[in-house]
Amino acid sequence: MDKQSIELKVENLTTRFGEGLNSVTAADKITFDLHKEETLAIVGESGSGKSATALSLLRLLPPSGKIIDGSVWFESKDILTYNSEQLQSIRGNKISMVFQDPMTSLNPTMTIGQQIMEPLFLHLKLDRKMAKQRAVELLDIVKLPNPEGKMNSYPHQLSGGMKQRVIIAIALACSPKVLIADEPTTALDVLIQAQILELFDSLKKKINLSMILITHDLGVVSGMADRTLVMYAGEIVESGPTQELLNSPLHPYTVGLLNCRPRRVGGQKRKRLTEIPGTISRNDTQGCSFYSRCSSAMDRCKTEKPPFEMVSPGHSASCWLNDTN
Amino acid sequence: MVNQNLLEVRNLKKYFSDIALNSFNGTKFSVVKAVDGVSFNIRYGESLGLVGETGSGKSTVGRAVLRLIEPTSGEVLFKGKNLLKLPSEELRNIRKEMQMVFQDPYGSLNPKMTVQRILEEPFRIHQLLDTRSFKDRALETLSKVGLSSEYGERYPHEFSGGQRQRIGIARAIALNPDLIIADEPVSALDVSIQAQIINLLQDLKESMGISYLFISHDMEVVEHFCDRVAVMYFGKIVELASSEDIYQRTSHPYTKALLSAVPNLEGKLPQATVGGDIPNPANFPSGCAFSSRCPIKEKVCDESDPPLKEVAPDHFAACHLIG
């Protein structure tokens, strides 16, 4: 398959929460392509709009959120124009989603088996016997120990890591083309996180999956994603091939995110961490949204919004520091 | 003073008995050994990190030290006095010298009180000053944590997570404590805010000479912040050494697994060298608690529980296969 062909195309996606003066633009003109068999990471802190973007893709926003502009192209159709029935036929079928919290994503009153078979009945119209066989197979794919026995277990009988494996199995049930994973390892302990990331990595290779990985942790992105988008205050501020973005970041926010982690620099422990001062705010609509926290801010940044421009092939950022004119 | 012990914990145990479960199925009592014989010391001006996964017992240690939960047995010597034997009046008195910072900045501040009032509470409870001085001292504390004094009139819901954690820290330092027990103080915060709070705690350590028991699941944060690190697994300390030694000369296989699972920026996946989960605490394994997941396990590991022994100067590990 051609790696460069596009699986999902997002154009100008704009999502707003609330109405009138109190409304907040959670995702502002988000534009990106997800290539076939690619893992694309969306990185940002709370309030950056990364989850709002993910939820908008499948129109899973809560009632206070509205998509006010944009399109999401999948199989040469715009998903945002679909009626609920058309949408239902895609969700959990061709595009599926894994959420952050494995504790609340499963139905506590249904067995693991019932929950995995549900999409198989709904989308693939399998009979009971075949669905059961496929469900056990799926649990085996996500490396859940004793898959057959686990079919009759209830969620509370499983640990957090095992639940997340079950949730991934459900997401993969109908062999989706796109998997959206929203902070899939954030609620897990570090050893379990490593196991789940390893699982994602092996699945990608095995079943030709295109994946959107949403996370706040640049460390998770590093080993997983081919390309990375960095979001700040509802906008994409930088995008590029993951290793290039981590090694030579263009936007001061990305630089700040990399520097504020307490990791060693050149094998040496640092005396003090480099802070990003202040907190995320959306007040400066006129200039750059990062202006108030930026250590390299110039006068221009306060009044003029920097355009999102390509600086080197495939690597773009919105910052006046990269402006060569 | 530097080499003297501010806090000394000896053979601390906290067992929970699972009564609810047992009254249903009528089997005999099962006991969860949340903390099972933990010993460590904290010197004046030192910060000791306590790391481990969910369920390792690290938070229970923190709470038991302050007697926020009553330990089953053991000794907690604070400035030489055994807290577990102190009458409640004296305990209350000594508590102003040891404070706690909690993980959840949303749940640990009273939503009905102004920040001013929250910060006056410590003085009020310990009846330290007259009412007029309360106000000044509360505002002074606020400026120590980098918040402007005009915030005193506001309520907790008006602040961001990072600001709330600053208020929680202000409350903890109000009475000039010698020891702060910080239970995952930055886990609920965004990375850019984490750095701010860690730097703040470090500044306070230097300016006020505070010692910390710093409880965290984050190996990188602990390495950065702490002088020494204790790694807990299943209610016991399995490795204890200077933070330099823990990372450079890692000894216990569990610590090694924790370190290799830390996400990196080098384009490599974090390694899952250890499978499975923490064992069921009500179903206690015989021998070494880590043996069910250990990659280098041998026969002896199933037979007896390895004691914590010195494997190098000031470097302790509990493993049959080391030293």
Side-chain angles (χ1 to χ4, degrees):
Chain A
M1 254 194 261
D2 181 8
K3 253 220 145 163
Q4 286 312 308
S5 61
I6 288 168
E7 190 77 80
L8 193 76
K9 190 175 184 61
V10 179
E11 282 178 324
N12 276 324
L13 182 67
T14 304
T15 298
R16 195 171 284 167
F17 281 88
E19 271 171 37
L21 285 172
N22 291 324
S23 71
V24 173
T25 309
D28 197 1
K29 300 194 190 70
I30 301 299
T31 299
F32 63 85
D33 297 336
L34 174 68
H35 298 150
K36 280 204 161 78
E37 292 172 44
E38 172 190 53
T39 299
L40 177 75
I42 303 181
V43 181
E45 298 181 281
S46 10
S48 63
K50 57 188 192 305
S51 290
T53 304
L55 293 174
S56 302
L57 296 179
L58 279 178
R59 283 167 49 194
L60 291 169
L61 291 166
S64 59
K66 281 204 172 59
I67 298 169
I68 55 169
D69 193 18
S71 40
V72 177
W73 298 96
F74 177 69
E75 296 185 328
S76 37
K77 287 191 192 89
D78 181 3
I79 301 179
L80 299 188
T81 62
Y82 277 13
N83 62 29
S84 58
E85 206 173 313
Q86 290 170 305
L87 203 56
Q88 206 59 265
S89 70
I90 289 188
R91 282 183 188 152
N93 185 14
K94 288 177 172 167
I95 304 179
S96 60
M97 190 144 179
V98 171
F99 296 95
Q100 170 172 358
D101 187 2
M103 310 303 156
T104 55
S105 304
L106 292 170
N107 185 334
T109 66
M110 284 167 74
T111 63
I112 301 305
Q114 287 171 322
Q115 298 189 55
I116 299 192
M117 290 192 291
E118 206 176 16
L120 299 172
F121 293 141
L122 184 72
H123 294 300
L124 303 185
K125 316 274 186 260
L126 297 187
D127 61 38
R128 182 153 277 280
K129 196 172 151 222
M130 282 180 51
K132 198 169 171 198
Q133 199 184 339
R134 171 80 177 140
V136 174
E137 201 180 294
L138 283 161
L139 290 179
D140 193 45
I141 290 175
V142 296
K143 301 198 182 77
L144 195 74
N146 181 20
E148 215 140 334
K150 290 283 178 344
M151 289 285 285
N152 297 319
S153 300
Y154 285 89
H156 75 271
Q157 295 171 299
L158 306 182
S159 70
M162 288 200 265
K163 276 185 218 162
Q164 199 60 306
R165 285 177 196 271
V166 170
I167 291 162
I168 293 168
I170 295 171
L172 296 177
C174 304
S175 314
K177 290 188 164 170
V178 177
L179 179 71
I180 303 171
D182 188 1
E183 302 264 16
T185 60
T186 306
L188 304 174
D189 275 314
V190 61
L191 290 176
I192 312 297
Q193 162 166 291
Q195 293 172 14
I196 298 289
L197 291 176
E198 211 171 77
L199 173 66
F200 272 126
D201 196 55
S202 72
L203 290 174
K204 266 178 3 193
K205 289 168 187 152
K206 216 183 287 178
I207 55 177
N208 308 333
L209 201 60
S210 313
M211 188 162 140
I212 297 178
L213 173 69
I214 304 206
T215 175
H216 68 283
D217 189 342
L218 283 169
V220 166
V221 163
S222 167
M224 284 290 292
D226 303 302
R227 282 190 307 133
T228 296
L229 311 176
V230 179
M231 285 189 73
Y232 185 79
E235 293 165 15
I236 296 176
V237 294
E238 180 164 0
S239 78
T242 302
Q243 277 317 304
E244 192 183 318
L245 182 136
L246 295 177
N247 293 331
S248 29
L250 293 172
H251 197 284
Y253 178 61
T254 317
V255 176
L257 278 184
L258 286 165
N259 285 344
C260 66
R261 283 298 299 161
R263 26 182 84 84
R264 284 164 179 264
V265 176
Q268 287 301 304
K269 216 165 140 170
R270 282 183 293 165
K271 270 208 114 63
R272 251 184 106 75
L273 300 178
T274 323
E275 303 175 8
I276 304 178
T279 46
I280 215 164
S281 74
R282 290 154 190 269
N283 299 335
D284 310 330
T285 41
Q286 211 181 25
C288 172
S289 51
F290 190 57
Y291 171 75
S292 60
R293 303 178 75 188
C294 184
S295 54
S296 342
M298 305 172 287
D299 287 344
R300 184 181 196 184
C301 307
K302 192 176 183 178
T303 49
E304 289 175 71
K305 201 168 189 59
F308 190 69
E309 278 179 340
M310 196 179 309
V311 177
S312 62
H315 193 174
S316 313
S318 54
C319 178
W320 288 121
L321 291 174
N322 302 309
D323 189 36
T324 42
N325 307 323
Chain B
M1 288 278 268
V2 176
N3 282 315
Q4 272 184 1
N5 285 338
L6 171 66
L7 181 78
E8 202 178 336
V9 173
R10 288 189 200 146
N11 208 12
L12 186 71
K13 291 183 180 170
K14 177 65 195 175
Y15 294 175
F16 294 98
S17 44
D18 213 337
I19 303 166
L21 179 85
N22 285 282
S23 57
F24 277 116
N25 62 16
T27 53
K28 62 177 186 221
F29 251 60
S30 76
V31 169
V32 175
K33 299 178 175 176
V35 177
D36 195 13
V38 163
S39 303
F40 59 86
N41 61 318
I42 298 179
R43 301 176 193 120
Y44 278 91
E46 185 184 46
S47 34
L48 176 74
L50 201 53
V51 282
E53 293 177 275
T54 315
S56 63
K58 56 189 191 305
S59 292
T60 310
V61 169
R63 281 155 203 262
V65 164
L66 282 180
R67 275 179 78 183
L68 294 178
I69 51 173
E70 209 56 49
T72 308
S73 68
E75 285 178 60
V76 177
L77 302 169
F78 182 75
K79 295 183 174 174
K81 278 188 200 151
N82 188 354
L83 298 183
L84 306 191
K85 294 249 163 70
L86 282 187
S88 58
E89 187 75 1
E90 257 184 89
L91 178 69
R92 181 208 281 249
N93 232 340
I94 209 165
R95 271 207 180 129
K96 61 175 179 278
E97 297 169 37
M98 44 205 302
Q99 293 291 324
M100 186 130 185
V101 172
F102 297 92
Q103 168 170 4
D104 179 9
Y106 295 86
S108 52
L109 301 175
N110 188 335
K112 290 181 179 172
M113 287 187 182
T114 62
V115 169
Q116 168 92 39
R117 176 70 211 239
I118 288 171
L119 296 178
E120 283 172 9
E121 282 281 290
F123 300 104
R124 219 180 283 272
I125 289 166
H126 293 286
Q127 298 170 352
L128 288 179
L129 301 163
D130 59 84
T131 323
R132 214 158 0 115
S133 325
F134 281 174
K135 195 174 174 187
D136 300 342
R137 284 294 293 276
L139 293 180
E140 197 183 304
T141 334
L142 207 52
S143 72
K144 276 191 192 160
V145 297
L147 291 176
S148 135
S149 57
E150 70 201 45
Y151 288 165
E153 302 302 314
R154 300 197 191 169
Y155 287 89
H157 75 266
E158 298 176 66
F159 294 90
S160 67
Q163 287 171 322
R164 277 182 226 210
Q165 198 56 301
R166 282 177 196 268
I167 297 166
I169 292 168
R171 179 176 57 186
I173 63 165
L175 301 175
N176 275 320
D178 292 305
L179 176 69
I180 286 183
I181 295 180
D183 190 359
E184 301 267 14
V186 297
S187 315
L189 306 174
D190 273 315
V191 277
S192 73
I193 311 299
Q194 274 188 13
Q196 296 175 6
I197 298 296
I198 290 170
N199 282 345
L200 172 65
L201 291 173
Q202 204 165 346
D203 292 343
L204 294 172
K205 180 185 174 188
E206 282 155 23
S207 64
M208 301 177 68
I210 296 172
S211 307
Y212 290 95
L213 177 61
F214 190 95
I215 301 167
S216 174
H217 69 282
D218 189 327
M219 296 296 279
E220 286 184 313
V221 168
V222 166
E223 179 194 19
H224 173 81
F225 186 78
C226 298
D227 303 307
R228 285 189 303 141
V229 178
V231 180
M232 274 190 83
Y233 186 75
F234 217 61
K236 288 190 170 133
I237 292 179
V238 296
E239 186 161 1
L240 173 65
S242 70
S243 70
E244 199 62 29
D245 277 358
I246 281 272
Y247 293 85
Q248 306 293 328
R249 286 170 282 278
T250 317
S251 153
H252 198 281
Y254 178 62
T255 316
K256 285 183 184 163
L258 282 181
L259 284 170
S260 62
V262 172
N264 59 72
L265 293 177
E266 279 87 59
K268 287 176 297 196
L269 272 185
Q271 281 178 301
T273 51
V274 161
D277 286 301
I278 280 193
N280 180 355
N283 187 1
F284 216 67
S286 64
C288 173
F290 188 56
S291 61
S292 61
R293 302 167 83 185
C294 185
I296 59 167
K297 149 189 173 172
E298 285 182 16
K299 198 163 161 255
V300 59
C301 307
D302 285 330
E303 287 158 5
S304 68
D305 192 15
L308 191 66
K309 57 186 185 224
E310 196 160 10
V311 292
D314 289 320
H315 189 151
F316 301 84
C319 178
H320 285 303
L321 308 175
I322 293 165

